[in-house]
Amino acid sequence: MTTSRPAPPTASAAFTAFRLRHHAPYLRYAHTRVADHHRADTAVERAFAELAARWEEILRTANPNGYAWNVLTEAVDAAATRAPDTRPARDLLHHALPPEQLDALVLHYRLGMTLTSTADLMGVDAPTVALHLVLAEKALPAAMIRDLERTRPA
């Protein structure tokens, strides 16, 4: 007797699941980067629109989460560049650190995500996130790291 296997999820079902899983953390990240929440929301929606349009291609890449993270950060960077009201502390950090270190700091310290969750969102492994954090911590005053932790949103 043969048992039938369930059909693999369609690309649109996979994208819907991806969006449900990543929408909230993407928004939280964008809100830390762009003070105008409307601009931040628009950047996230633009990123998801681009991802939806290319989803089948993205699924064939070696690292769909990493690909998606790059699309998101490009959209958020564009919104932050255009917005006259970007957060000054974020701008300071942006000029002091490479983007990967900065994103790891924001996700882990500012948003309180675990190393594993941060790694999953960025499309890297946990040791890579840990390395980004160590390098960022060495480059910044300890008080700045404590300030990131203290200003976590509720």
Side-chain angles (χ1 to χ4, degrees):
M1 179 168 142
T2 60
T3 54
S4 63
R5 292 183 183 157
T10 65
S12 62
F15 178 75
T16 299
F18 177 89
R19 182 181 170 98
L20 286 171
R21 182 172 181 206
H22 290 84
H23 190 264
Y26 277 18
L27 273 178
R28 290 176 61 216
Y29 170 81
H31 288 176
T32 66
R33 295 280 316 276
V34 183
D36 180 334
H37 285 196
H38 177 71
R39 283 182 191 264
D41 295 348
T42 300
V44 171
E45 291 311 313
R46 283 188 180 139
F48 276 117
E50 181 178 338
L51 294 170
R54 302 170 76 185
W55 191 245
E56 288 190 36
E57 170 191 341
I58 293 167
L59 287 177
R60 289 190 296 271
T61 66
N63 185 356
N65 281 357
Y67 188 102
W69 183 253
N70 288 335
V71 169
L72 173 74
T73 57
E74 287 175 13
V76 172
D77 286 347
T81 301
R82 287 192 304 267
D85 54 359
T86 56
R87 298 180 191 260
R90 173 69 170 123
D91 288 344
L92 200 132
L93 287 173
H94 185 73
H95 296 293
L97 297 172
E100 299 82 13
Q101 291 176 24
L102 182 59
D103 289 343
L105 273 180
V106 168
L107 295 172
H108 183 67
Y109 287 116
R110 174 76 167 97
L111 298 180
M113 295 178 70
T114 65
L115 287 178
T116 304
S117 296
T118 298
D120 180 58
L121 201 65
M122 292 176 66
V124 297
D125 58 23
T128 299
V129 171
L131 177 62
H132 290 322
L133 292 172
V134 167
L135 293 173
E137 290 166 3
K138 286 184 177 191
L140 297 173
M144 192 172 280
I145 302 295
R146 286 191 303 274
D147 285 345
L148 281 171
E149 290 178 301
R150 277 197 295 267
T151 58
R152 285 184 184 164

